[in-house]
Amino acid sequence: PLWQYLVDASLFTYREAFVGFLAGIVIGLVLLGVVDDQPPEFELFAGLQKAGVDPKSGVNLVQQQFDMAALLSKQIDAAQAMIYNEYAQVLEQKNPATGALYQPTDLNVIDWNKDGVATLQDAIWANTDKLKNDTAYQDTAVKLLKGAIGGWVYGRDNFQPCVDIVLKNGPTLGASHQAWQLARVNELVWPSPGGIGVVDKTLWDQTVSVATSQKVVAAAPDADAYSNTHVQKAVDALKAGGMDVTGSSYKAPQVTLKEGGK
């Protein structure tokens, strides 16, 4: 990849004893496609094993839809969620016990980032041979990355206009949910001390460790598997032109979720 950043995926449950007592519970698993019997959310397997639970026999894994309905109806004990989407879907619903919207304190959360099994996701990929030998391809790659960076910076610096663009195009969920999504995604990107899109070697190594331990890949990839050469050129050029490519002072705006994400 030429570009990458960390996405936060978490587990949620109503069972107070969940953190530390994983064995035997029913966990929803989002299946985006299975390759060689390995689910795409292999962070879950790595997290379970780190907690001393065999993912094949210690828990009951069931398919989860792209929402939190099964968790809210207590058909499952725990559900996979992204901080910018499914987590909000829970907080947008009323807790029958209180009559108010669910609060973070009502949930037990396992954050893969804090547990050390999170992986890099959402990359821009390119042809290795062309990156090495084709100058026109190299130039195009840098231009593409400059455009991508400009888009992310715009989304950071023009919060409400970006939310309005989405709302004008008929999203399923409403204004507070869309604002939450942008705020949380921006927090996954900013600040970027090394420059947005520049691959962090420590996080890359963690991703490789998780991927190899879960047999997603047979062995660690070679040195050409990622490159910061072209994204660094893009970052440097935009910085020289006056663009803030690190967002060092970024703080996400406060978003108050409303019932149903309205």
Side-chain angles (χ1 to χ4, degrees), residues 153-234:
V153 169
Y154 184 86
R156 180 195 68 198
D157 296 343
N158 299 272
F159 186 84
Q160 193 57 49
C162 287
V163 173
D164 292 341
I165 289 171
V166 175
L167 294 176
K168 289 178 182 178
N169 285 276
T172 301
L173 295 169
S176 72
H177 187 88
Q178 300 303 331
W180 173 279
Q181 285 199 308
L182 182 56
R184 299 291 79 77
V185 170
N186 267 326
E187 286 180 325
L188 296 175
V189 178
W190 311 105
S192 291
I196 179 174
V198 175
V199 180
D200 183 312
K201 187 178 186 304
T202 298
L203 296 179
W204 174 267
D205 291 342
Q206 177 174 298
T207 299
V208 171
S209 176
V210 173
T212 52
S213 71
Q214 298 308 308
K215 298 181 173 57
V216 177
V217 293
D222 61 32
D224 290 332
Y226 82 89
S227 171
N228 280 329
T229 300
H230 304 86
V231 72
Q232 192 63 61
K233 289 181 179 180

Side-chain angles (χ1 to χ4, degrees), residues 5 15 28-29 37 39 62 78 128 159 176 199 212 224 234 248 253 262:
Y5 63 89
R15 298 177 65 173
L29 180 66
D37 297 323
V62 298
T128 301
F159 186 84
S176 72
V199 180
T212 52
D224 290 332
S248 58
K262 295 179 181 178

Side-chain angles (χ1 to χ4, degrees), residues 7 16 42 75 85 93 95-97 122 163 165 176 225 246 251:
V7 169
E16 294 180 359
F42 51 89
Q75 297 176 47
N85 186 16
Q93 302 301 317
N95 183 341
D122 295 340
V163 173
I165 289 171
S176 72
T246 62
K251 291 184 179 180

Side-chain angles (χ1 to χ4, degrees), residues 111-166:
D111 182 342
W112 298 140
N113 293 295
K114 294 178 180 178
D115 262 22
V117 295
T119 60
L120 289 167
Q121 299 177 10
D122 295 340
I124 293 177
W125 301 88
N127 183 294
T128 301
D129 289 337
K130 287 188 175 182
L131 280 178
K132 288 183 174 181
N133 303 308
D134 187 332
T135 55
Y137 190 85
Q138 295 165 8
D139 291 343
T140 299
V142 173
K143 291 176 182 177
L144 172 66
L145 291 165
K146 288 170 69 176
I149 292 170
W152 279 107
V153 169
Y154 184 86
R156 180 195 68 198
D157 296 343
N158 299 272
F159 186 84
Q160 193 57 49
C162 287
V163 173
D164 292 341
I165 289 171
V166 175

